């Protein structure tokens, strides 16, 4: 059962702030106490400081991925990674050839070693998609309404992806011939995916960390004071 803290509480073991969402682990009705947990802290708190919250419906529980962030990170990004992975497996020569735009030339036949490396790359894309469709919903189900805890886990995932965005851009910029890199009109869909899409995703992740257009723990506490 989830509860909302309606009156701040502090004791020797831990403290709760008005507006926090906690999970009840035990009750002592005769003493008016509830044993609750929040992130890595737990302890007894007077039941008068709590108000029950019904998060039986997933749609009722606030989540740190909402609006544009839900659309991009939980829907569009996994779709794009699954599509990319399937292309690496089913149209290997074409996608490998398109990494560096070369209009008018035909895809070359790949060696067995190169093909295996490309397929392993496709599997890495597949893994990224799986992380998005499994991790984010799991966080929402396991931590309903617990914005602070959600931010720590989702933030760790997005931080790792943001770092990967940067390293992906760096190796792409280094690997592209100068005449291709500086001539945007020569870029193909793969080049835009490696550069343009990576920049957009990185900026969106930065906006998430800045709390732009989403529910944050700080905003929740401020709203409830």
């Amino acid at each position: 059962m989830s509860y909302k803290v309606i009156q701040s509480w502090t004791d020797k073991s831990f403290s709760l702030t008005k507006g926090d969402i906690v999970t009840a682990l035990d009750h002592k009705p005769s003493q008016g106490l509830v044993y609750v947990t929040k992130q890595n802290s737990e302890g007894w708190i007077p039941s008068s400081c709590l108000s029950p919250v019904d998060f039986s419906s997933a749609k009722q529980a606030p989540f740190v991925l909402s609006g544009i962030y839900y659309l991009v990170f939980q829907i569009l990004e996994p779709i794009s990674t699954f599509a990319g992975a399937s292309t690496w497996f089913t149209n290997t020569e074409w996608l490998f050839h398109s990494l560096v735009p070369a209009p008018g030339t035909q895809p070359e036949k790949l060696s067995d070693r190169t093909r295996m490396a490309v397929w392993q790359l496709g599997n890495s894309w597949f893994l990224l998609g799986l992380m998005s469709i499994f991790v984010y919903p799991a966080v929402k189900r396991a931590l309903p309404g617990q914005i602070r805890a959600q931010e720590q886990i989702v933030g760790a995932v997005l931080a790792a992806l943001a770092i990967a965005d940067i390293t992906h851009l760096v190796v792409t910029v280094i690997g592209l011939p100068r005449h291709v890199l500086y001539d945007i009109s020569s870029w193909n869909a793969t080049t835009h995916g490696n550069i343009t899409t990576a920049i957009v995703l990185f900026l969106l992740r930065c906006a998430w960390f800045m709390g732009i257009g989403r529910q944050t723990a700080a905003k929740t506490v401020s709203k409830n004071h």
Side-chain angles (χ1 to χ4, degrees):
M1 180 69 180
S2 295
Y3 289 87
K4 182 176 183 179
V5 178
I6 57 176
Q7 180 179 332
S8 298
W9 170 263
T10 302
D11 66 8
K12 296 180 180 179
S13 58
F14 76 132
S15 62
L16 297 173
T17 303
K18 181 179 178 181
D20 284 347
I21 301 296
V22 297
T23 301
L25 301 179
D26 196 4
H27 296 77
K28 287 185 178 179
S30 60
Q31 301 179 35
L33 296 174
V34 181
Y35 194 79
V36 301
T37 179
K38 186 195 73 170
Q39 298 181 34
N40 295 323
S41 302
E42 55 186 50
W44 292 99
I45 180 174
S47 57
S48 59
C49 296
L50 303 172
S51 176
V53 180
D54 181 14
F55 288 141
S56 56
S57 171
K59 293 182 179 179
Q60 296 176 344
F63 188 46
V64 292
L65 288 184
S66 58
I68 185 66
Y69 303 114
Y70 172 82
L71 176 64
V72 173
F73 299 146
Q74 203 165 333
I75 297 179
L76 296 182
E77 189 170 21
I79 290 175
S80 67
T81 54
F82 287 142
S86 65
T87 305
W88 282 117
F89 292 127
T90 61
N91 206 348
T92 308
E93 283 82 5
W94 174 83
L95 192 52
F96 182 80
H97 183 74
S98 69
L99 286 172
V100 177
T105 60
Q106 294 298 316
E108 60 189 47
K109 183 175 177 58
L110 304 180
S111 68
D112 292 338
R113 292 182 181 84
T114 302
R115 184 181 299 276
M116 180 180 290
V118 169
W119 284 350
Q120 290 172 343
L121 175 60
N123 189 60
S124 298
W125 283 41
F126 185 63
L127 171 62
L128 288 175
L130 290 177
M131 287 178 58
S132 297
I133 65 172
F134 282 109
V135 174
Y136 298 142
V139 171
K140 185 174 183 178
R141 289 193 304 269
L143 302 168
Q146 300 184 48
I147 301 299
R148 276 198 184 90
Q150 291 177 8
E151 282 184 329
Q152 290 187 6
I153 300 174
V154 173
V157 175
L158 292 180
L161 292 173
I163 294 171
D165 291 334
I166 295 174
T167 55
H168 187 81
L169 284 167
V170 170
V171 297
T172 301
V173 169
I174 293 175
L176 280 176
R178 300 301 93 180
H179 70 277
V180 174
L181 178 62
Y182 298 138
D183 182 11
I184 298 179
S185 64
S186 70
W187 293 6
N188 57 23
T190 303
T191 313
H192 278 291
N194 286 331
I195 296 180
T196 310
T197 302
I199 291 174
V200 171
L201 289 173
F202 177 76
L203 293 176
L204 273 176
R205 300 192 216 283
C206 291
W208 185 91
F209 280 107
M210 295 171 65
I212 299 173
R214 71 172 180 89
Q215 184 70 45
T216 66
K219 290 177 182 177
T220 300
V221 172
S222 176
K223 183 173 65 176
N224 286 282
H225 271 77

